[in-house]
Amino acid sequence: MNESTESFRRVQYDLRPAKQIERRMIVDALQLLAMEGFSIRDYQYTGMGSIYFVDFVLFHRLLGMERMVSVEQSPIQGRVAFNKPFRVVAVEMCPVGDYIPRLSRDLRHLLWLDYDSVLSTEHLEDVSLAGTYLTPGSILLVTVDSEPPVRVEAAGSPERWREYFMEVGKNYVDPAWESGLFAQSKLPFVNALILENALRAGLSGRRDVEFLPLFNFIYADGHRMVTIGGMVVSDVEKRRVLASRLPQAFYYRRRLEEPAYEIHVPKVTRKERFLLDSAMPCDEGWKPDSLDLPAEDIDAYRQIYRFFPAYGELLV
């Protein structure tokens, strides 16, 4: 069952600032790739729009993408059809794993497997399929919940969590990984490694292509989530990515073994944002005399201010 089938009842997708910052950083990265000659607007975007379609709206408005498919399942078919934001968005009512083999071999794709639950065998099967079917130049994003997978009061422990990942991960988890690797603080890293292993397994039967990592985000609007992403590349695409301005972006990650970029959203008022924005971009360590904010909050804002969403009440 697609995550959005039930999670839309728990999560107001359009009011998650950290998630929205992640989306806007991804848009920024795609714009940098477009400057290097990747025709992002001609890619097909396939995602899980639920009833909110937030990423679809961003990618259509800011990137000009017009080939868009939201993969969903019952029981929300009626609400999905009602809330579809643009005529160019098609809806496929099926498991995403059933749709991936149908991705056109004549197109490049942006595929976002945006799950809201902890890692499962089904997720890994979908990721492996993506490695098998995505065309060179296509981009894959995968999001999972990186909170501990076993929540039985005292029973939750690194040993239990290791057992869980060994069970759901099967061939994608190294039996030599010891329990210490599954401490709660390291679970985003473990999830990223397992997802990458599944993707590379899907690519293993293909010649002359590899997976080039681009993103490794951690964020929390409640649960701590991890998003990995990258491009299926031949030597041609790999050279173009590395020649682009994307590797200079602060959120870029060439290897998933590197520390992830953790999105920290400082709690600031609208008036404080106006003052901070008036000084952006600023040097590291800058602090206004008139604003009593922790230095770490100002530094976080300095990095994300271009991507920080603005929310306000609209009376109509």
Side-chain angles (χ1 to χ4, degrees):
M1 180 175 290
N2 286 4
E3 303 305 310
S4 55
T5 301
E6 293 299 332
S7 63
F8 80 100
R9 302 182 188 278
R10 297 180 283 104
V11 180
Q12 188 78 9
Y13 285 116
D14 52 351
L15 295 178
R16 296 190 293 171
K19 179 68 171 182
Q20 191 70 346
I21 289 169
E22 178 188 65
R23 291 188 186 105
R24 289 172 178 261
M25 286 181 177
I26 290 168
V27 167
D28 186 66
L30 296 173
Q31 289 171 332
L32 293 175
L33 290 174
M35 291 170 60
E36 192 59 32
F38 289 94
S39 186
I40 299 297
R41 68 182 301 133
D42 295 325
Y43 279 44
Q44 175 180 308
Y45 175 59
T46 302
M48 301 170 176
S50 185
I51 61 173
Y52 297 100
F53 293 96
V54 180
D55 40 340
F56 287 79
V57 172
L58 277 179
F59 294 163
H60 180 66
R61 291 193 185 279
L62 301 183
L63 299 171
M65 300 182 78
E66 294 190 349
R67 293 186 178 94
M68 313 189 88
V69 178
S70 180
V71 184
E72 301 294 341
Q73 285 183 266
S74 298
I76 60 172
Q77 183 172 359
R79 294 188 70 185
V80 168
F82 177 82
N83 287 285
K84 193 176 73 165
F86 308 111
R87 182 174 57 85
V88 296
V89 178
V91 176
E92 292 284 342
M93 303 302 296
C94 66
V96 68
D98 290 352
Y99 183 75
I100 290 172
R102 294 161 48 194
L103 293 172
S104 172
R105 307 293 289 180
D106 297 323
L107 297 173
R108 287 177 170 177
H109 297 272
L110 171 58
L111 172 63
W112 196 341
L113 302 175
D114 195 358
Y115 306 112
D116 278 325
S117 63
V118 296
L119 195 66
S120 72
T121 301
E122 180 182 1
H123 299 164
L124 293 170
E125 290 171 350
D126 294 343
V127 171
S128 183
L129 278 174
T132 300
Y133 287 99
L134 285 175
T135 51
S138 295
I139 298 166
L140 174 67
L141 304 167
V142 188
T143 300
V144 294
D145 188 329
S146 66
E147 296 290 342
V150 180
R151 296 181 175 278
V152 188
E153 297 185 4
S157 67
E159 291 77 17
R160 286 291 305 275
W161 301 333
R162 179 181 182 276
E163 292 173 6
Y164 175 87
F165 285 110
M166 290 291 292
E167 179 181 352
V168 303
K170 297 184 173 65
N171 298 328
Y172 310 129
V173 178
D174 188 339
W177 293 354
E178 297 181 353
S179 297
L181 185 61
F182 296 84
Q184 185 167 352
S185 62
K186 298 180 180 178
L187 289 181
F189 175 68
V190 168
N191 278 276
L193 287 185
I194 297 173
L195 289 168
E196 184 179 24
N197 287 345
L199 177 58
R200 294 193 187 281
L203 284 165
S204 62
R206 302 175 61 178
R207 299 178 59 186
D208 303 323
V209 293
E210 62 178 298
F211 177 64
L212 181 66
L214 304 175
F215 311 112
N216 187 1
F217 293 112
I218 298 173
Y219 68 92
D221 291 305
H223 281 207
R224 188 169 57 163
M225 312 293 289
V226 58
T227 297
I228 70 162
M231 183 181 289
V232 176
V233 296
S234 67
D235 288 342
V236 173
E237 289 86 18
K238 184 175 182 178
R239 285 194 298 269
R240 289 171 64 192
V241 171
L242 297 180
S244 74
R245 294 173 58 189
L246 178 55
Q248 282 72 59
F250 63 89
Y251 52 76
Y252 170 82
R253 294 295 183 272
R254 173 70 186 276
R255 299 171 65 251
L256 297 183
E257 292 82 1
E258 298 176 29
Y261 180 77
E262 188 156 1
I263 298 172
H264 172 59
V265 184
K267 293 180 173 60
V268 293
T269 68
R270 183 168 57 178
K271 188 173 182 178
E272 290 167 342
R273 284 189 63 176
F274 288 155
L275 174 60
L276 292 171
D277 283 344
S278 69
M280 296 294 142
C282 69
D283 294 330
E284 185 175 358
W286 171 83
K287 189 176 189 299
D289 296 333
S290 58
L291 189 56
D292 185 21
L293 278 178
E296 59 268 24
D297 283 353
I298 295 175
D299 187 59
Y301 191 83
R302 178 179 65 84
Q303 293 188 45
I304 67 171
Y305 76 95
R306 291 198 300 120
F307 313 107
F308 204 143
Y311 298 118
E313 183 179 19
L314 177 65
L315 301 178
V316 294

